[in-house]
Amino acid sequence: MSVRVLIDHRKTAQDKTVQAARHPEKAHRPDNPIARKPDWIRVKAPNHPVYHETRKLMRDNKLVTVCEEAACPNIGECWSQRHATMMIMGEICTRACSFCNVTTGLPHALDADEPTRVADAVAKLGLRHVVITSVDRDDLADGGAQHFAEVIGAIRKASPETTIEVLTPDFLRKPGALEVVVAARPDVFNHNIETVPRLYTTIRPGARYYQSVRLLDRVKQLDPSIFTKSGLMLGLGEDKAELAQVMDDFRIADIDFITMGQYLQPTVKHAAVARFVTPEEFAEYAAMARVKGFLQVSATPLTRSSYHADADFAALREAREAQLRNRGSAPHEQSDKVKTS
């Protein structure tokens, strides 16, 4: 992984051919100059020995990671702790979101051996918690739902103590797909909303905001024991009132965990950063989310869906247990008042 990817996403002239091949649908778009990132966004290049061990394991098992495909700025830190988010069903996506660095095109056929290789890597890494995500597979009748279920099953068999978080597509126009994934009983069901409804036509044109919210609402209806989670990118042009409304929509859907991080522009052909949100503003949004009743909140410039996912899951589980204890004590408090009145 080069320093350029982690520290500065700006491309040189010799990269233009690579950009065009990776994002053919964006090739005709005018360039959006990439703004210089503020000091609070900058990260160090990866140089820890464990980072290279993790990278080698991914290569040896022929696995794709969203850490690399999405050019995540936290890859050096996470891989140095053996935390890698595996991206199943290939590295080619059928969608063309204007914020995303994953390759767009016609995906290959599913690899039937992939669940076993993913499970093997999870066991070798000794992960307490793993995040499994995927590209959008609109070409498949079930959107890849059965493949998700098979990956979950393989991990349960190879590493039964590992908790599993899935970060799925929206399964738009894929009836029955969500039910297949929920039946496999991941510990956390994550689906990112990404941005506010007003910006969907330009930022996430292949998706539908209310479909994504309903997806997470349906997870809770099917299995209330599964934690639900969703994330937003900030700095795309949203305002505070719109973010507050999205948070309210999330709470109506009983989403447990919200993440918010700064959008970073991968190439000049991607959506431009409208502004860099300050750490102080992120803290303000985090406070707002906590007041609204989320069990867990992560909101910093470098927050990503799977960043510190293992520690966040432990905190999420503790928060639910505390909530259940508080609910359980309420009737006893009331009965005590009745006895003394």
Side-chain angles (χ1 to χ4, degrees), residues 279-291:
E280 292 76 18
E281 289 176 278
F282 273 103
E284 180 182 346
Y285 290 134
M288 181 191 303
R290 292 188 184 97
V291 168

Side-chain angles (χ1 to χ4, degrees), residues 207-332:
R208 301 293 179 268
Y209 173 80
Y210 290 105
Q211 160 69 15
S212 288
V213 175
R214 281 196 297 268
L215 183 87
L216 292 163
D217 185 37
R218 179 65 176 153
V219 172
K220 281 294 189 185
Q221 293 173 15
L222 292 168
D223 190 340
S225 71
I226 296 176
F227 291 102
T228 50
K229 177 178 175 181
S230 190
L232 293 161
M233 299 176 295
L234 306 192
L236 283 163
E238 71 290 331
D239 61 37
K240 185 176 181 179
E242 289 175 312
L243 287 175
Q245 183 59 62
V246 169
M247 290 183 199
D248 288 340
D249 291 342
F250 281 12
R251 293 307 302 130
I252 291 171
D254 200 22
I255 294 171
D256 299 299
F257 187 178
I258 183 173
T259 64
M260 291 174 275
Q262 173 69 51
Y263 165 65
L264 298 177
Q265 184 181 345
T267 75
V268 295
K269 295 299 183 181
H270 286 77
V273 174
R275 72 186 186 96
F276 290 102
V277 181
T278 66
E280 292 76 18
E281 289 176 278
F282 273 103
E284 180 182 346
Y285 290 134
M288 181 191 303
R290 292 188 184 97
V291 168
K292 289 180 181 293
F294 290 95
L295 284 181
Q296 180 74 1
V297 178
S298 180
T300 70
L302 287 174
T303 289
R304 297 297 183 265
S305 278
S306 53
Y307 188 45
H308 295 165
D310 56 341
D312 283 338
F313 176 73
L316 188 61
R317 188 156 50 185
E318 288 176 9
R320 174 181 280 176
E321 290 171 356
Q323 184 184 70
L324 292 174
R325 285 195 300 271
N326 291 337
R327 288 177 179 173
S329 65
H332 297 294

Side-chain angles (χ1 to χ4, degrees), residues 10 42 46 54 70 127-128 137 144 181 192 212 227 237 241 244 318:
R10 284 173 287 191
R42 298 179 184 278
T54 303
L127 297 181
R128 294 175 301 174
R137 292 297 303 258
V181 180
N192 285 334
S212 288
F227 291 102
E318 288 176 9

Side-chain angles (χ1 to χ4, degrees), residues 85-227:
T85 298
M86 292 167 220
M87 192 167 78
I88 61 175
M89 297 190 280
E91 70 277 13
I92 302 174
C93 186
T94 55
R95 303 273 177 96
C97 298
S98 64
F99 65 86
C100 185
N101 197 45
V102 174
T103 304
T104 300
L106 182 63
H108 303 297
L110 293 179
D111 181 350
D113 190 49
E114 184 175 51
T116 300
R117 297 200 312 276
V118 170
D120 180 68
V122 170
K124 287 178 178 176
L125 288 168
L127 297 181
R128 294 175 301 174
H129 184 80
V130 64
V131 182
I132 304 296
T133 189
S134 79
V135 290
D136 276 288
R137 292 297 303 258
D138 295 315
D139 59 309
L140 300 174
D142 69 346
Q146 183 59 41
H147 201 73
F148 262 106
E150 290 170 5
V151 171
I152 294 169
I155 295 172
R156 295 277 188 230
K157 183 177 179 180
S159 189
E161 298 303 313
T162 301
T163 51
I164 301 171
E165 179 174 330
V166 293
L167 173 53
T168 76
D170 58 12
F171 298 125
L172 184 63
R173 292 183 286 274
K174 306 293 182 184
L178 174 66
E179 287 77 5
V180 170
V181 180
V182 171
R185 303 205 72 240
D187 297 280
V188 181
F189 193 110
N190 186 359
H191 171 66
N192 285 334
I193 304 295
E194 306 293 8
T195 190
V196 300
R198 177 176 58 85
L199 298 177
Y200 258 56
T201 54
T202 55
I203 300 302
R204 204 175 173 223
R208 301 293 179 268
Y209 173 80
Y210 290 105
Q211 160 69 15
S212 288
V213 175
R214 281 196 297 268
L215 183 87
L216 292 163
D217 185 37
R218 179 65 176 153
V219 172
K220 281 294 189 185
Q221 293 173 15
L222 292 168
D223 190 340
S225 71
I226 296 176
F227 291 102

